[in-house]
């Protein structure tokens, strides 16, 4: 496992070198030299393990969930994808997380050298501990040279406090618990539905969020969805799953199709999970009746449906700051810099029965008077990490084939814009600030609805309890 982790770290250090922030030449050269030394240490560790224990059966890299994912996430130093860059603060946090991780490696191996020498020799554990200690020292020393002793000391103290908050995620009492490590390669999951598959996708995605620690918060699965499936399509789907070694998750409410899928999976040795049958069986017993067994459900065009359309149409007409005179009819207002997620969140709220207006904040541009006439407790202000916003804007520029001379997506310009917005938000404490960096639309929607309910006076114009989505 440690050999797999070292392979993973070698890749990480190579990736870090591609997203370094703008530093002066001497500091940049020092960081690059440090990363090269860490890569060399990782390679040496792998070779030492193989020389002492032989070639492992599995040479794929593997990441331990606690050290290199959850802690990175909480310290806001998850690696971005080029051309986005780490900020100086994120680079410091990254180096400190690595140092703390290596310190814990050393402590663990020193303990194992005293207690677990039956299979792996004490000398091997001691050598691994020494290597981890060397990496820890190099990381701390390198960080001090680049960032100064004061900043490094403060970052270490913060990281150690964060570590204590997440240490329940790893069980040091059981050194053979492979659950603390995850393959970095996504496994295939096939979602099969006899309707739109939306409910199944949401359920699986939510469940996979519990395993995001394996992949720096990304889903550890390669998901393929088959929609509007009938019994004649099942055989090919199951064969595909068998070839790919995939898990099948299905929501097939038509009884014959459901039973056929379960039988085919068993016949071909394919792992599967039936999402709906256990729940439907439980509900049948509870309500003392049988389910319809009909895929999906047609939406009736009734008063509730027309109210929902009204909310969506209102939100469409008032997108991106237009028609301020109509803002007084909004249930809530979403503001934030360009590409911070205002429009998707507004439409998601509209589909839940809220009339939503949104306005793009542009530094030094006068804000319409109509904004100040709204209930300030219903204004939700979005912010986002500069690296992520820069990446989103770069993608937008490529899509629109905008010229490279524009400063719209440049990291420095984005940082200035976000600083201006945060200063505006601080001057208006009644606004609720939402960070969209690591939270999805659904999560932010739920937070807004909860806050509106707590404050009273604003509820959905549609009773959503009687309009379940198709399965």
């Amino acid at each position: 496992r440690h050999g797999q982790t070292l392979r993973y770290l070698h890749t990480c250090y190579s990736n870090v070198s591609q997203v370094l922030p703008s530093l002066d030449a001497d500091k940049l050269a020092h960081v690059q030299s440090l990363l090269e030394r860490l890569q060399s240490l990782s390679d040496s560790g792998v070779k030492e393990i193989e020389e002492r224990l032989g070639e492992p059966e599995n040479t794929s890299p593997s990441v331990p969930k606690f050290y290199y994912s959850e802690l990175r996430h909480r310290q806001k130093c998850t690696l971005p994808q080029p051309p986005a860059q780490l900020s100086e603060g994120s680079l410091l946090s990254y180096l400190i997380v690595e140092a703390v991780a290596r310190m814990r490696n050393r402590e663990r191996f020193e303990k194992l050298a005293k207690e677990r020498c039956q299979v792996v020799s004490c000398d091997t554990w001691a050598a691994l501990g020494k290597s981890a200690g060397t990496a820890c020292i190099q990381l701390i020393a390198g960080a001090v040279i680049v960032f100064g002793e004061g900043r490094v000391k403060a970052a270490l103290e913060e990281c150690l406090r964060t570590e204590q908050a997440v240490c329940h995620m790893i069980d040091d009492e059981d050194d053979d618990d492979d659950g603390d490590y995850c393959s970095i390669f996504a496994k295939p999951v096939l979602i099969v539905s006899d309707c739109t598959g939306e409910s199944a996708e949401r359920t699986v995605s939510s469940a996979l969020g519990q395993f995001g620690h394996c992949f720096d918060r990304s889903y550890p699965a390669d998901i393929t969805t088959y929609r509007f499936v009938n019994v004649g399509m099942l055989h090919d789907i199951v064969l595909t799953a068998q070839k790919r070694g995939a898990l099948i998750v299905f929501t097939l409410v038509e009884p014959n199709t459901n039973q056929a899928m379960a039988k085919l999976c068993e016949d071909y040795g394919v792992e599967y999970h039936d999402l709906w049958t256990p729940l439907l069986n439980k509900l049948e017993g509870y309500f003392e009746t049988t389910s319809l067994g009909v895929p999906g459900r047609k939406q009736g065009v009734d008063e509730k449906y027309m109210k929902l359309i009204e909310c969506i149409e209102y939100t469409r007409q008032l997108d991106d700051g237009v028609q301020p005179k109509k803002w007084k009819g909004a249930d809530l207002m979403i503001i934030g810099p360009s590409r911070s997620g205002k429009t998707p969140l507004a439409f998601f709220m509209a589909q839940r029965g809220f009339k939503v207006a949104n306005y793009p904040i542009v530094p030094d541009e006068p804000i319409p008077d109509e904004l100040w006439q709204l209930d300030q407790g219903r204004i939700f202000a979005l912010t986002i990490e500069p690296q992520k916003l820069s990446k989103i804007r770069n993608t937008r520029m490529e899509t629109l084939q905008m010229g490279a001379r524009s400063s719209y997506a440049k990291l420095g310009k984005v940082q200035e814009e976000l600083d201006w917005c945060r200063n505006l938000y601080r001057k208006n404490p009644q606004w609720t600030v939402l960070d969209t960096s690591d939270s999805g639309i659904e999560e932010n929607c739920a937070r807004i609805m909860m806050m509106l309910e707590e404050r009273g006076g604003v509820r959905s114009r549609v009773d959503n309890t009687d309009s379940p989505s198709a399965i």
Side-chain angles (χ1 to χ4, degrees):
R1 289 194 317 195
H2 187 59
Q4 291 175 318
T5 298
L6 291 175
R7 293 185 185 91
Y8 167 76
L9 290 177
H10 183 281
T11 302
C12 285
Y13 298 144
S14 176
N15 292 340
V16 171
S17 66
Q18 300 176 36
V19 293
L20 291 175
S22 298
L23 302 169
D24 65 52
D26 289 341
K27 290 182 177 180
L28 184 62
H30 188 84
V31 173
Q32 290 172 333
S33 175
L34 171 61
L35 293 171
E36 289 172 1
R37 294 198 302 275
L38 291 170
Q39 285 180 283
S40 179
L41 270 176
S42 299
D43 290 339
S44 298
V46 171
K47 291 177 181 177
E48 186 167 13
I49 291 171
E50 292 179 353
E51 288 174 0
R52 291 174 181 267
L53 304 179
E55 184 75 23
E57 293 182 6
N58 184 0
T59 59
S60 63
S62 180
V63 50
K65 66 184 180 185
F66 169 65
Y67 289 140
Y68 303 114
S69 292
E70 184 64 18
L71 196 52
R72 275 186 187 173
H73 171 68
R74 296 197 182 205
Q75 290 297 99
K76 297 187 181 300
C77 56
T78 299
L79 298 184
Q81 294 294 323
Q85 296 176 310
L86 286 168
S87 65
E88 284 194 25
S90 295
L91 175 61
L92 173 59
S93 294
Y94 181 90
L95 296 177
I96 295 304
V97 166
E98 292 299 308
V100 170
R102 294 307 186 96
M103 178 180 70
R104 296 308 184 204
N105 284 157
R106 187 195 66 183
E107 293 172 352
R108 187 180 183 93
F109 293 138
E110 288 176 349
K111 178 181 178 182
L112 291 170
K114 297 175 182 178
E115 301 176 359
R116 298 284 185 91
C117 298
Q118 297 87 352
V119 178
V120 178
S121 71
C122 294
D123 288 345
T124 300
W125 291 129
L128 293 174
K130 182 179 179 180
S131 177
T134 299
C136 177
I137 292 170
Q138 289 190 3
L139 283 156
I140 295 295
V144 169
I145 291 172
V146 176
F147 297 102
E149 184 177 345
R151 287 185 69 183
V152 171
K153 182 175 183 291
L156 265 172
E157 291 173 347
E158 180 186 356
C159 186
L160 289 169
R161 284 194 296 268
T162 303
E163 181 196 31
Q164 292 303 308
V166 296
C167 65
H168 68 276
M169 298 177 64
I170 194 167
D171 181 9
D172 286 330
E173 297 301 320
D174 183 1
D175 297 315
D176 296 321
D177 180 9
D178 288 330
D180 286 340
Y181 285 73
C182 320
S183 167
I184 68 169
F185 299 110
K187 292 188 174 182
V189 176
L190 308 187
I191 295 175
V192 182
S193 172
D194 46 16
C195 196
T196 66
E198 291 181 6
S199 296
E201 285 181 333
R202 287 197 298 269
T203 301
V204 171
S205 294
S206 296
L208 287 172
Q210 298 299 314
F211 303 92
H213 52 261
C214 300
F215 294 82
D216 290 333
R217 316 303 291 186
S218 299
Y219 292 147
D222 175 12
I223 298 177
T224 303
T225 302
Y226 295 86
R227 311 177 194 277
F228 301 104
V229 169
N230 57 50
V231 70
M233 301 163 63
L234 299 182
H235 187 264
D236 289 343
I237 294 173
V238 173
L239 281 181
T240 299
Q242 185 189 51
K243 291 176 182 177
R244 297 181 62 189
L247 167 70
I248 291 181
V249 178
F250 59 88
T251 53
L252 300 169
V253 296
E254 200 283 313
N256 293 332
T257 308
N258 184 290
Q259 293 169 15
M261 172 60 88
K263 186 176 186 306
L264 281 168
C265 287
E266 291 171 359
D267 291 345
Y268 285 93
V270 172
E271 285 193 73
Y272 70 94
H273 181 72
D274 180 353
L275 271 179
W276 289 116
T277 297
L279 175 60
L280 292 173
N281 288 344
K282 181 67 70 174
L283 290 174
E284 284 181 345
Y286 181 72
F287 291 115
E288 298 181 348
T289 187
T290 57
S291 61
L292 294 175
V294 177
R297 175 185 172 184
K298 292 183 178 180
Q299 172 68 57
V301 182
D302 53 14
E303 182 181 356
K304 293 177 183 177
Y305 180 81
M306 296 309 297
K307 286 182 179 179
L308 183 64
I309 296 300
E310 182 183 344
C311 291
I312 295 172
E313 182 63 14
Y314 176 92
T315 302
R316 184 190 67 80
Q317 290 180 358
L318 273 68
D319 184 34
D320 208 27
V322 301
Q323 302 192 63
K325 294 187 181 301
K326 291 186 178 181
W327 287 356
K328 60 185 178 182
D331 296 316
L332 64 135
M333 165 68 77
I334 299 174
I335 64 174
S338 172
R339 313 311 295 176
S340 59
K342 301 181 300 299
T343 296
L345 180 57
F347 276 90
F348 198 85
M349 293 290 300
Q351 292 174 42
R352 275 135 191 85
F354 294 89
K355 290 185 175 181
V356 188
N358 76 82
Y359 176 75
I361 298 292
V362 178
D364 300 320
E365 182 178 290
I367 295 175
D369 292 338
E370 286 82 357
L371 184 75
W372 310 111
Q373 297 168 10
L374 300 176
D375 180 346
Q376 300 297 288
R378 298 186 191 179
I379 296 178
F380 294 84
L382 306 188
T383 187
I384 186 173
E385 292 178 359
Q387 291 84 359
K388 292 194 175 183
L389 184 54
S390 175
K391 180 181 177 180
I392 292 169
R393 289 185 174 182
N394 270 306
T395 301
R396 177 67 170 171
M397 289 176 65
E398 291 173 5
T399 302
L400 298 178
Q401 297 182 337
M402 294 172 63
R405 295 182 179 179
S406 172
S407 63
Y408 176 68
K410 292 188 182 299
L411 185 59
K413 177 68 174 177
V414 169
Q415 182 68 67
E416 290 178 7
E417 190 173 332
L418 288 170
D419 289 343
W420 193 93
C421 288
R422 292 182 183 118
N423 185 50
L424 174 67
Y425 299 167
R426 282 193 292 270
K427 294 177 181 177
N428 295 275
Q430 288 180 288
W431 299 352
T432 299
V433 179
L434 298 176
D435 190 334
T436 61
S437 302
D438 295 303
S439 55
I441 295 174
E442 296 90 342
E443 180 181 345
N444 287 320
C445 175
R447 290 172 63 190
I448 290 175
M449 291 174 68
M450 180 180 68
M451 292 175 186
L452 291 175
E453 187 171 345
E454 288 175 351
R455 293 167 186 172
V458 181
R459 298 183 64 87
S460 171
R461 297 169 183 262
V462 178
D463 181 5
N464 292 307
T465 60
D466 194 37
S467 56
S469 61
I471 59 176

